Amino acid sequence: MDINGVTITGGWYISSSPTTLTISPAVSGLTTWDLGANGPLVLTTVNTTYTVSAASGSVSTTLKLWGGGGGSASIASGGGGGYATGNFTFASGTNYQIIVGGGGTGTAAGRAGAGGGAGTGMQTAIGSTSIIVAGGGGGSGDSSQVRPGGAGGGATGVNGTPSGGGGGFGGTQSAAGAGGNGGRRTGSSGSGRNGGAGAGATQNTAAGGSGFGNGGGGATDSGDAGSGGGGGGYFGGGGGGGDAAGMGGGGGSGYIGGAGITAGTTTAGSGTTPGNSADTARGTSGNGGTSSASGNGGRFVITLGS
C-alpha cells in the first residue's frame, strides 16, 4: 500500500484519536457530540446537571468556564464572574457532572440588596470533590452610595465594597468568605460552596443564582438599606454587612486543582467584567448586573484538544 510515496506493508492501519462525547440531557437535540465535526460543546443552561463522558476511549479537551455575575441593586453593580481553564481528558466509563451557574437577581430601588451569582464547575458526582470551578460574582448593596459586589475568582474571590469596611469577603482556596461587618449588621458567611446572605431584617428577598455553589440572597431592611449576597464557587463569598448603607457581597473562589487538570489557570473578574472577558467563546456570559439588572449566567465550553 502506497500513501504519499510511503509504502506500508503487513497489518498496519492509521486511526484518529476519539473526538466524541456523550452528553445528557441532550444539547441541540444531540446525545453524542463530536468535537471534531460539530465544534465546541457550549453549555449555558444554568442549574442543570449535565453528565458528560467519552463515547469510547479517551477524548483530550480544553475546558473554559465562567461563573455567573452578581445582581445589581439600584445604582451599584454586581461583580463579574471568574474564569477558569485547563486541559482535561474525558474517559469512557467515567461520568463527569457539569453545572453552569446562574446570575444573581437584581433589585430596583427599595432598600433591597441584590443576589450573588453562582459558580460554574465540574465534578465526578454530585457533591464530590471539585475538578475545576469558576467563581460567581457578589451582589451589590442598595445604598445612596455605590457599594458594588466583588467579582468572582480566580484563586480568590474579590471582596465586596467597601473592602474591609463592611463588604463581604471573597472565598479562598481553603475557606468560605466571612460576612462583612457594617457596624450595625453583619452579613452571613459563605457556607462551603455557597455564598452567604446579605445583612438585613429580611433576607433572601433577591435570589442568589443557582448552580455549582449557589449565590447568596440579597436582603431588605425597612430602616436601613439591604446588602448584597456573596457569590458561589469552590468556596463561597460572604454576604455584605450594613449600617445606613447596604454593602456588597464578596465573590466566590475558583479552582483548578482537581485530578486530571493540566496547564490550568484561573482569572478573577474586575468590576462587572468577567475574567478573560475578551475571549470570543464567552459571549456575554458572566457579566455583572448594572442599573438594577440581574447578572448574566455563566458558561462551560469544551473544545477538542491537541
Side-chain angles (χ1 to χ4, degrees):
M1 180 179 180
D2 185 278
I3 300 177
N4 293 333
V6 177
T7 300
I8 299 175
T9 61
W12 294 97
Y13 66 97
I14 299 173
S15 64
S16 60
S17 299
T19 60
T20 302
L21 301 174
T22 62
I23 175 73
S24 177
V27 175
S28 299
L30 300 176
T31 56
T32 59
W33 192 278
D34 188 328
L35 296 173
N38 299 330
L41 175 59
V42 181
L43 307 177
T44 57
T45 301
V46 302
N47 198 29
T48 294
T49 301
Y50 293 97
T51 301
V52 179
S53 181
S56 64
S58 57
V59 180
S60 298
T61 70
T62 297
L63 311 178
K64 296 181 179 182
L65 47 158
W66 287 267
S72 165
S74 188
I75 60 175
S77 302
Y83 170 76
T85 185
N87 298 328
F88 186 78
T89 298
F90 289 90
S92 62
T94 303
N95 291 328
Y96 301 91
Q97 311 290 337
I98 294 171
I99 307 176
V100 179
T105 302
T107 61
R111 316 197 75 78
T120 295
M122 184 172 76
Q123 57 198 353
T124 54
I126 297 300
S128 68
T129 302
S130 304
I131 295 173
I132 186 169
V133 182
S140 73
D142 182 34
S143 172
S144 59
Q145 304 176 52
V146 179
R147 301 289 173 85
T156 302
V158 178
N159 293 343
T161 304
S163 178
F169 291 88
T172 71
Q173 294 298 289
S174 59
N181 183 349
R184 297 186 191 179
R185 299 182 308 281
T186 300
S188 297
S189 295
S191 175
R193 294 176 176 175
N194 302 322
T202 306
Q203 293 184 340
N204 302 323
T205 53
S210 297
F212 190 99
N214 300 326
T220 299
D221 196 278
S222 58
D224 297 320
S227 301
Y234 180 61
F235 281 103
D243 51 18
M247 316 300 189
S253 63
Y255 180 69
I256 52 170
I261 292 291
T262 61
T265 60
T266 59
T267 306
S270 176
T272 61
T273 304
N276 191 31
S277 61
D279 193 323
T280 56
R282 180 181 73 88
T284 59
S285 298
N287 288 342
T290 60
S291 302
S292 299
S294 298
N296 289 1
R299 178 173 295 213
F300 199 113
V301 180
I302 306 173
T303 59
L304 190 61
S306 57

